[in-house]
Amino acid sequence: MRRYSSDWYWYYAINYTLVIIIIFPIYWTLISSFKKPSELITSEPTFYPHDLTLQYYDQIWNFDRLKRLQDTESEDSESSGVEIESKFRLDGEGVKRPFMNSAIVSAGTIILTIIVCTLGGYALTVLNTPLKNFFFLLVILPILIPGISLIIPLYKLLKDLGLTNTHLGLILIHTCGMLPLGIFMMRNAFNSIPSSLREVAMLEGSSELKIITSVMLPLAIPGLLTVMVFAMYVSWNDYIYAFIFINSPENTMLNISLMKIALGGSQFEMKWGSLTAGSIVSFLPIIIFYTFLQQYFVRGVTGSAVKE
Amino acid sequence: MKLLVKLFLISLTILPFTKATSAEELIIWSRGGWSDWMVEGFNKKMADEGKDIVAINNLIGHADFQVKFTAALAAGERVDVANIDLINVPYYAAIGALEDMTDFLKSQPYYDQLNGPMLALGSYDGTHFAAPNAADVSGYVYNKKLMPNPPKDWAEMTSMCEDFAARGQLMMAWPSKSYGGMIFTGMPVAWANGGSWVSKDGKTAELNHPKTVEWFKHYQNLINIGCVPENVDVWDWPDKQDGFLAGDIAMIGTGNFMINVVKDHTEKVDAGFTAFMGSDGSRNSAFIGGDLIAIPVTTGAKEAALEYIEYVLSEAGQIEVYTKNGGIPIRADLFEGNPYLTDDHMVFANASTVGDVPYTTVYQELMDPWQVANQRIFAGEDVQTVLDEQNAIMQKIIDAGH
Amino acid sequence: MSRLRKEQLVGLLMVSPALILLAVFFLYPLVNSFYMSFHKWPLFGKPKWVGLDNYIFMFQDERFWESLKFTFVYTLTVTPMLFVVAIGTALLCNAKAWGTTFFRSIYFLPVVMSFATASYVWLWLYSEMYGVIVYALEFFGFGGENKNLNVWKTGTSSMWAVNAMVTWKFSGIQMIILIAGLQAIRDDYYEASKLMGASRWQTIWNVTLPLLRPSIALALILSIAGSIQAYEQFVIMTRGGPSNSTKTLVMHTVDMGFDYFKLGPAASLGVIIMIILFILTVIQLRLFRKNY
């Protein structure tokens, strides 16, 4: 810390300036999601909501597709006595179901990604795998072509495999999309670990899997966590695959639902309130996940320092 | 980590696998939010009639609908009923993506009452492939707090514009950047003036039609007078809508959905509605947008699909569901005595009987020269030159075909 | 079985999940798409072999060259912007000082916002009449005395406006890649550099950056691939305007495929983008492997 003491002021001045610049659009999104419509669109912008409202959050979280347009009618439809199977009723569920769907897909993607990328990265770095460089180049390929270019062949493939409209289909696609970054990151992480550590463990007779989990992975934690954050980011924020490959209301992903609410029922509508509130709703989980991983970032780094 | 694995395993067990039901399922893809009500009403009707049909609404929304629909068609995904943006229907009909419903439509007693331009858009070579479903009709909305009475013709509009400019106020704005917005709220003004976009058969580009040129010059003149934002050539839909809702712009082109939107903004806006008018005010017009309803060839339940369409076009569907949610019925016989059609709605309903919508199988591709024409003209370039140039591009696209 | 042989087998086994995923969910659709690019491919019915017609059609299309040119200009401008901010924040956050965790979290925040939402929110911030950024810019004298600044007025200003949003949104991704790289550098290198009397800048230049090479390579490859494939930000914010001056390659591809329903030419565009990026990536990998 002493190293920086002479530039103490500069260090914090730069950081706090950046913080203000970077936070501002997010702050603006946040306060806008609490403003009443008349305060939302005005030529005298307010920098904090003078008249707090939770109407957009209420609308999103308890979003009732049948209630949106006809407030009075919903009671009649309850009392009409017609029982429609719960599966086909969409009212009152809000975005809870889409939220769960997105959580499942994200969790699946994270887990599958770290397994596949750790093994792959290890094999392509530490081990003497044949065709190493060729495989590595192959694995990089998915970032080189826009996803939308492959939509139609992918759709056909998923349909043949029976994976359209399923979470598993999305998980596999997202994991495949994570391969370049994941394997690259894991490769860098394993590369920086001295090979002597592995040799010692091998002399002790450990198996390759044992070496990975007990020796190598603890040292590669910053890389691993980064891969997890990215996997979460990629699957949680995905729009195009979730939009195209999911066809039933009960399997809809969060982003799709939020966009539908924000863009409203008609062609040109733009509901700033719902849009901002929706983005905060989709924003929070990933922030919590990141903050949760932060502590391990630090622990991982100090841990490796101790061992060395 | 273990926690994550556990969470994942738990969640897998509650994965919502599609339950097998005895009822025949009808898969509906739709764009407008009101479709939930339509499906709910249909299901109720089926239950009342003791029919074993259950409709499931897959609300896709307006954004990127045709991306999803195109991908689904190419992959052979089953869709029983699709509400398609009417503008794309000629293309889908031309490539044989939709089922023939000529007999069904012609046997309906209200066949003559269906909106003409919409019906025409759903047909190809004399065969009906799609029925009118939901109309989004365009017109002007004006703020009575800033403009007590709307202009009746272009001359009045120009003189009002001078007054506004003299007071340093904004009178009008339009979304030059949004090609969809401009064809929805700009082109009808030219139509009302006798102008044209493409010929009726969709074979000739007529962007440089003298009456269309007149309209562009008229709007360009409003910018020069100074009652329109100087940068209107790069304005988008939200720019002018926000400007109107904040009470800073007196009049904009919009659609019937605006009747609902302004209800949230009564503090600054006292809204009135009026139809687009030609230069002498003798004619009105509107863009008849919205959805046509069709049965894709990938359907698995054609009979049930027709049953649903019948419900959509019925009085129950059009009045109790669609009009009640702020829509304009697509049957002219349902205007009179319709309890949900307020005076504001009637402005749009009447305009829908004289409105238009272009017929072409390459609509989306034509949007490119159309957008360029709008942006360049409202940035101040010479109207005739730009329109001649872009018209030639449009003609080239039409000749190349789909 | 020799030890080497066994290690090779284990290696193949370990890399196989990745390869299988890749083969099924990427290579297979890719080959399909490649196949499509040599056909007239209607939505329905039998595709017809047309050889290189789709490619010829595309190369003769002015819209393709315009979008290619713009995409390159965008990539060339946004990549340095992203990288400078990313390396700066990464170094700031790697300092051993109070608050780095907090700063790191903040710098990463915009990344997790969904791209579409971010584009819409910035579109709002840039709004001529109600945009806060526009107020601020006008306060600093942009837009002249009339205060009628509109960032979308020209193609160039539109691009810089989008660049600012993209830098805000994505520098966090590169930052976190670089931080992971920085943390893998062992302290003894710094100690050695310090013992040799190097200044902080010298240490960054001679020790940190060379050791950071693999991470820098990854960050740059990702950012170049991302910028060549730019789509959402321009669709939402500029709609390709004014007058098509900000239309990107992917926008053109989507237009071709899903708006104009020309699936063959759209597939050939995808192949072209892939080839461009492949060449760029191989060059970068070469550059960064030197002396490493």
Side-chain angles (χ1 to χ4, degrees):
Chain A
M1 208 177 274
R2 202 175 304 142
R3 240 191 304 171
Y4 293 96
S5 56
S6 59
D7 301 317
W8 199 249
Y9 290 111
W10 279 115
Y11 178 78
Y12 285 105
I14 294 173
N15 265 318
Y16 280 116
T17 316
L18 277 173
V19 165
I20 290 168
I21 294 172
I22 285 173
I23 274 282
F24 183 75
I26 296 170
Y27 174 72
W28 193 254
T29 312
L30 185 73
I31 56 167
S32 300
S33 69
F34 291 110
K35 286 179 179 177
K36 289 229 160 100
S38 59
E39 199 184 338
L40 207 51
I41 306 167
T42 166
S43 33
E44 297 104 32
T46 49
F47 286 86
Y48 61 94
H50 292 287
D51 206 357
L52 215 72
T53 172
L54 285 172
Q55 65 185 91
Y56 311 116
Y57 288 95
D58 178 55
Q59 191 200 355
I60 282 174
W61 196 247
N62 301 312
F63 184 48
D64 185 337
R65 280 169 61 169
L66 295 182
K67 219 176 185 175
R68 172 172 46 191
L69 297 161
Q70 290 175 309
D71 276 325
T72 48
E73 184 64 16
S74 59
E75 282 162 29
D76 301 352
S77 74
E78 305 274 3
S79 59
S80 68
V82 182
E83 284 294 316
I84 293 174
E85 262 182 90
S86 60
K87 178 187 165 191
F88 304 111
R89 290 199 64 96
L90 299 150
D91 43 330
E93 277 207 354
V95 296
K96 288 160 208 149
R97 183 63 169 271
F99 195 93
M100 266 308 286
N101 289 336
S102 278
I104 291 168
V105 169
S106 294
T109 308
I110 292 170
I111 291 164
L112 199 59
T113 301
I114 52 178
I115 294 171
V116 172
C117 292
T118 307
L119 292 177
Y122 190 77
L124 295 181
T125 319
V126 183
L127 298 182
N128 234 324
T129 313
L131 295 173
K132 234 164 141 172
N133 288 329
F134 172 69
F135 285 156
F136 181 62
L137 216 57
L138 211 58
V139 156
I140 293 291
L141 287 180
I143 53 164
L144 303 186
I145 189 159
I148 190 116
S149 288
L150 300 180
I151 283 282
I152 288 177
L154 253 180
Y155 203 139
K156 283 186 178 146
L157 173 74
L158 287 180
K159 208 163 174 322
D160 291 342
L161 297 174
L163 290 176
T164 41
N165 205 15
T166 61
H167 296 147
L168 185 62
L170 285 183
I171 292 173
L172 291 172
I173 291 177
H174 292 327
T175 309
C176 184
M178 268 302 294
L179 283 177
L181 192 109
I183 292 203
F184 208 124
M185 289 291 323
M186 291 316 290
R187 212 173 87 117
N188 285 352
F190 287 131
N191 246 337
S192 63
I193 300 171
S195 54
S196 55
L197 283 176
R198 174 167 170 264
E199 278 151 22
V200 172
M202 291 209 37
L203 287 178
E204 286 169 3
S206 309
S207 74
E208 216 58 70
L209 262 181
K210 185 100 201 294
I211 297 176
I212 295 184
T213 49
S214 60
V215 182
M216 303 299 261
L217 263 193
L219 294 178
I221 274 190
L224 189 76
L225 293 179
T226 316
V227 173
M228 288 173 76
V229 170
F230 275 103
M232 169 94 182
Y233 163 74
V234 163
S235 53
W236 187 262
N237 276 350
D238 164 55
Y239 183 82
I240 193 71
Y241 293 130
F243 176 66
I244 303 278
F245 298 138
I246 297 293
N247 286 325
S248 71
E250 73 256 16
N251 282 0
T252 312
M253 298 289 134
L254 182 66
N255 263 350
I256 314 294
S257 300
L258 291 178
M259 218 24 123
K260 272 177 211 161
I261 298 172
L263 295 182
S266 59
Q267 195 143 14
F268 295 104
E269 249 182 284
M270 166 60 75
K271 296 176 177 162
W272 293 119
S274 307
L275 182 82
T276 49
S279 77
I280 297 296
V281 167
S282 80
F283 196 59
L284 282 179
I286 193 160
I287 283 300
I288 292 167
F289 182 70
Y290 182 72
T291 325
F292 172 73
L293 286 188
Q294 275 273 0
Q295 46 178 329
Y296 293 99
F297 263 101
V298 180
R299 205 182 292 168
V301 177
T302 46
S304 68
V306 170
K307 274 193 187 147
E308 278 171 47
Chain B
M1 185 65 86
K2 269 184 190 150
L3 183 76
L4 273 180
V5 176
K6 240 183 243 167
L7 273 178
F8 179 59
L9 288 179
I10 292 168
S11 61
L12 272 183
T13 59
I14 56 163
L15 259 183
F17 290 111
T18 321
K19 283 172 269 171
T21 47
S22 57
E24 182 175 11
E25 288 184 4
L26 188 66
I27 299 161
I28 294 164
W29 283 24
S30 49
R31 306 195 319 144
W34 50 268
S35 58
D36 279 325
W37 274 104
M38 197 66 91
V39 168
E40 181 89 351
F42 175 73
N43 282 339
K44 216 177 273 177
K45 181 176 174 239
M46 288 298 107
D48 289 347
E49 291 176 8
K51 286 188 184 152
D52 227 6
I53 300 171
V54 177
I56 302 167
N57 188 27
N58 184 11
L59 176 60
I60 291 161
H62 293 85
D64 301 326
F65 179 92
Q66 98 260 16
V67 174
K68 188 169 162 72
F69 188 57
T70 305
L73 282 179
E77 176 79 38
R78 176 182 157 184
V79 182
D80 296 326
V81 177
N83 302 279
I84 309 167
D85 186 350
L86 80 177
I87 215 74
N88 289 317
V89 173
Y91 170 77
Y92 289 121
I95 61 160
L98 308 174
E99 295 271 352
D100 181 352
M101 56 165 84
T102 314
D103 297 340
F104 166 79
L105 278 179
K106 287 203 167 147
S107 68
Q108 301 303 327
Y110 48 77
Y111 177 72
D112 301 337
Q113 303 291 331
L114 291 170
N115 186 296
M118 289 179 97
L119 200 58
L121 229 62
S123 56
Y124 185 75
D125 270 352
T127 309
H128 289 300
F129 289 100
N133 176 16
D136 278 333
V137 185
S138 57
Y140 284 127
V141 58
Y142 60 97
N143 188 348
K144 289 175 189 161
K145 293 185 180 176
L146 302 170
M147 181 193 270
N149 289 301
K152 286 183 192 62
D153 53 38
W154 291 3
E156 195 182 348
M157 197 186 281
T158 309
S159 74
M160 284 169 85
C161 177
E162 279 159 0
D163 297 345
F164 269 87
R167 292 199 300 270
Q169 277 182 333
L170 291 175
M171 181 173 96
M172 271 179 85
W174 50 83
S176 317
K177 191 160 118 184
S178 160
Y179 45 79
M182 279 320 281
I183 200 146
F184 188 62
T185 63
M187 201 55 215
V189 188
W191 284 334
N193 193 41
S196 176
W197 197 66
V198 294
S199 60
K200 275 265 174 278
D201 60 0
K203 296 275 192 285
T204 320
E206 294 181 339
L207 189 59
N208 57 354
H209 190 284
K211 293 289 179 182
T212 310
V213 173
E214 260 181 48
W215 164 66
F216 270 113
K217 282 189 172 155
H218 167 57
Y219 264 31
Q220 209 182 36
N221 185 40
L222 296 182
I223 303 177
N224 293 336
I225 292 172
C227 69
V228 175
E230 218 177 311
N231 296 320
V232 79
D233 59 310
V234 286
W235 273 39
D236 207 339
W237 189 277
D239 289 319
K240 55 118 200 178
Q241 180 157 318
D242 292 351
F244 179 81
L245 293 177
D248 294 330
I249 294 172
M251 182 164 94
I252 57 170
T254 186
N256 49 288
F257 48 82
M258 196 69 173
I259 297 172
N260 279 338
V261 176
V262 289
K263 283 178 187 159
D264 271 347
H265 299 269
T266 43
E267 246 174 73
K268 298 207 177 106
V269 178
D270 180 11
F273 296 87
T274 184
F276 296 124
M277 73 304 271
S279 74
D280 58 1
S282 65
R283 259 190 73 187
N284 289 335
S285 189
F287 186 97
I288 308 167
D291 297 354
L292 297 187
I293 192 162
I295 307 174
V297 287
T298 54
T299 181
K302 197 183 169 188
E303 290 308 309
L306 282 175
E307 194 129 10
Y308 177 73
I309 293 175
E310 200 173 350
Y311 175 74
V312 170
L313 298 178
S314 72
E315 282 175 33
Q318 286 294 317
I319 297 181
E320 290 304 323
V321 179
Y322 189 52
T323 317
K324 195 170 182 182
N325 279 310
I328 305 298
I330 44 79
R331 277 170 59 184
D333 59 327
L334 299 182
F335 290 168
E336 217 161 292
N338 188 328
Y340 307 109
L341 282 183
T342 61
D343 289 349
D344 288 343
H345 288 97
M346 278 314 287
V347 171
F348 293 100
N350 289 331
S352 78
T353 58
V354 293
D356 206 352
V357 51
Y359 186 103
T360 161
T361 55
V362 287
Y363 174 82
Q364 299 284 358
E365 207 166 351
L366 293 179
M367 286 295 105
D368 205 70
W370 166 245
Q371 186 197 27
V372 172
N374 276 292
Q375 293 206 281
R376 282 175 51 187
I377 288 172
F378 296 131
E381 287 189 43
D382 180 62
V383 177
Q384 192 70 46
T385 321
V386 173
L387 289 185
D388 284 344
E389 228 177 277
Q390 298 305 315
N391 192 63
I393 297 178
M394 279 173 74
Q395 190 59 50
K396 222 172 104 194
I397 293 168
I398 292 172
D399 292 341
H402 56 264
Chain C
M1 206 160 31
S2 73
R3 204 185 123 188
L4 181 69
R5 208 46 194 288
K6 195 180 156 207
E7 195 179 306
Q8 287 184 337
L9 268 180
V10 172
L12 280 178
L13 204 68
M14 282 184 170
V15 81
S16 58
L19 292 181
I20 291 170
L21 260 180
L22 194 74
V24 176
F25 290 99
F26 177 70
L27 293 178
Y28 176 77
L30 181 69
V31 169
N32 254 313
S33 180
F34 199 65
Y35 179 78
M36 272 170 89
S37 74
F38 293 105
H39 287 79
K40 186 170 168 53
W41 199 279
L43 271 182
F44 291 105
K46 279 233 154 60
K48 204 176 100 211
W49 173 268
V50 292
L52 287 172
D53 276 12
N54 288 333
Y55 290 89
I56 293 167
F57 170 81
M58 214 183 56
F59 286 134
Q60 283 173 346
D61 193 344
E62 214 177 288
R63 292 171 294 190
F64 166 74
W65 295 106
E66 276 172 23
S67 62
L68 182 74
K69 193 179 132 214
F70 173 72
T71 307
F72 272 120
V73 173
Y74 168 69
T75 305
L76 281 176
T77 50
V78 81
T79 306
M81 280 172 80
L82 272 169
F83 185 73
V84 166
V85 175
I87 191 92
T89 47
L91 288 171
L92 282 174
C93 290
N94 201 47
K96 293 195 174 74
W98 176 85
T100 49
T101 318
F102 168 72
F103 294 137
R104 189 166 60 201
S105 302
I106 299 291
Y107 299 157
F108 191 70
L109 268 185
V111 172
V112 301
M113 203 164 184
S114 103
F115 201 12
T117 319
S119 303
Y120 279 119
V121 169
W122 274 69
L123 191 62
W124 194 19
L125 294 175
Y126 279 137
S127 148
E128 182 181 337
M129 291 177 79
Y130 312 111
V132 183
I133 293 182
V134 173
Y135 288 141
L137 287 173
E138 280 172 353
F139 179 79
F140 288 114
F142 289 89
E145 281 179 20
N146 295 336
K147 303 221 168 190
N148 55 356
L149 178 73
N150 189 311
V151 293
W152 313 116
K153 194 71 181 174
T154 68
T156 320
S157 64
S158 299
M159 187 189 73
W160 288 110
V162 173
N163 281 5
M165 190 277 280
V166 170
T167 306
W168 171 81
K169 174 88 175 67
F170 282 121
S171 59
I173 285 194
Q174 297 196 24
M175 177 195 77
I176 209 163
I177 291 171
L178 295 174
I179 286 179
L182 283 171
Q183 292 186 336
I185 299 174
R186 274 169 287 148
D187 279 346
D188 24 341
Y189 288 109
Y190 295 122
E191 300 293 328
S193 169
K194 209 173 154 194
L195 283 178
M196 284 159 75
S199 74
R200 183 156 9 105
W201 291 111
Q202 281 171 326
T203 308
I204 289 176
W205 194 251
N206 296 324
V207 179
T208 318
L209 288 183
L211 285 170
L212 208 52
R213 251 201 178 121
S215 301
I216 293 177
L218 175 59
L220 284 183
I221 287 172
L222 276 181
S223 112
I224 288 179
S227 337
I228 296 272
Q229 296 175 27
Y231 174 63
E232 235 167 350
Q233 62 270 50
F234 287 103
V235 168
I236 293 173
M237 297 177 81
T238 73
R239 294 182 190 258
S243 303
N244 278 345
S245 55
T246 59
K247 205 158 211 171
T248 66
L249 268 179
V250 175
M251 264 170 100
H252 185 51
T253 313
V254 175
D255 280 356
M256 270 293 160
F258 295 104
D259 281 351
Y260 312 162
F261 310 106
K262 295 183 165 85
L263 300 184
S268 67
L269 270 169
V271 172
I272 296 285
I273 294 175
M274 167 118 190
I275 292 171
I276 293 173
L277 275 173
F278 185 77
I279 295 169
L280 288 177
T281 307
V282 169
I283 293 173
Q284 289 178 77
L285 284 173
R286 276 280 150 77
L287 281 179
F288 282 94
R289 191 164 299 162
K290 235 196 274 169
N291 309 328
Y292 174 63

